Amino acid sequence: FTANKPRPQLPRFPKWLSLTHWFYRGMEVCRVVRFSRDFVKKDHYPRSWVIIEEARRRGIPIESIRIFGRVTTYYRMKFGSKRYYYDAMPSRFLHLRLDEKAFVKRQCAKHGFPVSEGKLFRNTLRGMHYGKKLGFPLVVKPASGTHAYHVTAPVQNAEELARAIRLAKQYHPQYIIERYLTGQLYRVTVINFHHVYVARRVAPNVVGDGVHTVRE
């Protein structure tokens, strides 16, 4: 309804007080949403799968939220009379603006963390003008979201920039343009402020041996 993904609602209210619950219930009645307990490992991200396995091991009802039959990153758990909806990873310390990339970028800069130079836009022409002024290569990403959905990098010229902006706006009406930085990419998961898990992401690649073809 607002061009944003529904906000996750975590342990606060019983279902009869939960706007999120009744939103999903309405979508279920309209056959837009379906809750499924059938899980196939390849359909879920590794971090999400860890939560699914642990919930099932402990006997906690967990369901995948499917939209028009397609698997999504949304899930629902049930504890007593309460239902918990979350995106990818459950958190009891959710900041409602944590998914806003521009907000997080400002907070990081405020506290001394290095961030890539960039700005938030809604208007396409202003974004194009800023991108050309900032200089290529660039990154274009939706203002919110995870798993690099609708992100384009590196953007090498004006034609690619226009295409990247159109793609980002399919996901969210606002988008960010920033400098493209090279380096390693890491994903970090922190549990209860004590356990830190870090994974380095490596793009698909082939190392040749001078004998076999790439296909082999």
Side-chain angles (χ1 to χ4, degrees):
F1 296 138
T2 63
N4 281 307
K5 294 188 297 182
R7 293 287 189 189
Q9 180 169 317
L10 296 159
R12 290 200 181 113
F13 309 110
K15 65 182 181 182
W16 59 273
L17 271 178
S18 168
L19 293 177
T20 302
H21 169 73
W22 292 114
F23 170 80
Y24 277 116
R25 181 70 183 121
M27 293 297 100
E28 186 179 24
V29 170
C30 295
R31 299 177 182 266
V32 173
V33 162
R34 183 167 65 88
F35 297 94
S36 173
R37 295 191 181 183
D38 297 325
F39 294 96
V40 178
K41 188 174 183 179
K42 69 179 179 62
D43 292 336
H44 304 272
Y45 285 95
R47 293 192 304 169
S48 299
W49 186 254
V50 169
I51 301 298
I52 293 167
E53 284 190 321
E54 186 65 14
R56 296 164 93 182
R57 188 180 72 83
R58 295 180 180 222
I60 298 171
I62 183 170
E63 298 165 302
S64 170
I65 300 176
R66 298 178 181 239
I67 300 177
F68 292 117
R70 296 181 62 182
V71 178
T72 70
T73 59
Y74 288 102
Y75 302 90
R76 178 172 76 175
M77 287 186 183
K78 185 178 180 182
F79 293 88
S81 66
K82 295 182 180 180
R83 284 189 170 95
Y84 304 82
Y85 297 82
Y86 68 91
D87 182 10
M89 293 285 290
S91 172
R92 291 165 59 190
F93 304 97
L94 182 70
H95 189 298
L96 287 179
R97 301 190 67 187
L98 193 59
D99 195 36
E100 297 179 22
K101 291 182 169 65
F103 170 78
V104 173
K105 192 181 184 76
R106 289 195 302 270
Q107 292 299 308
C108 286
K110 178 181 176 181
H111 294 284
F113 289 93
V115 296
S116 177
E117 183 180 356
K119 287 184 179 181
L120 178 71
F121 294 93
R122 181 183 292 268
N123 181 279
T124 298
L125 292 179
R126 290 181 180 176
M128 287 290 298
H129 177 74
Y130 175 80
K132 293 175 183 177
K133 184 178 178 182
L134 188 60
F136 300 100
L138 299 168
V139 175
V140 179
K141 61 181 75 171
S144 67
T146 186
H147 301 305
Y149 291 148
H150 292 232
V151 174
T152 305
V155 175
Q156 301 285 12
N157 53 55
E159 183 180 341
E160 291 183 6
L161 177 58
R163 189 161 55 244
I165 291 173
R166 287 196 299 271
L167 179 65
K169 286 172 73 70
Q170 289 177 10
Y171 189 90
H172 193 285
Q174 292 181 301
Y175 62 95
I176 291 174
I177 295 179
E178 60 187 16
R179 288 190 187 278
Y180 175 75
L181 302 179
T182 59
Q184 301 292 352
L185 175 60
Y186 296 90
R187 293 192 71 88
V188 182
T189 301
V190 182
I191 299 178
N192 288 342
F193 297 107
H194 296 296
H195 303 284
V196 181
Y197 302 90
V198 182
R200 181 164 64 90
R201 303 186 72 183
V202 179
N205 63 88
V206 174
V207 178
D209 61 4
V211 178
H212 299 85
T213 65
V214 171
R215 184 176 296 279
E216 290 173 323

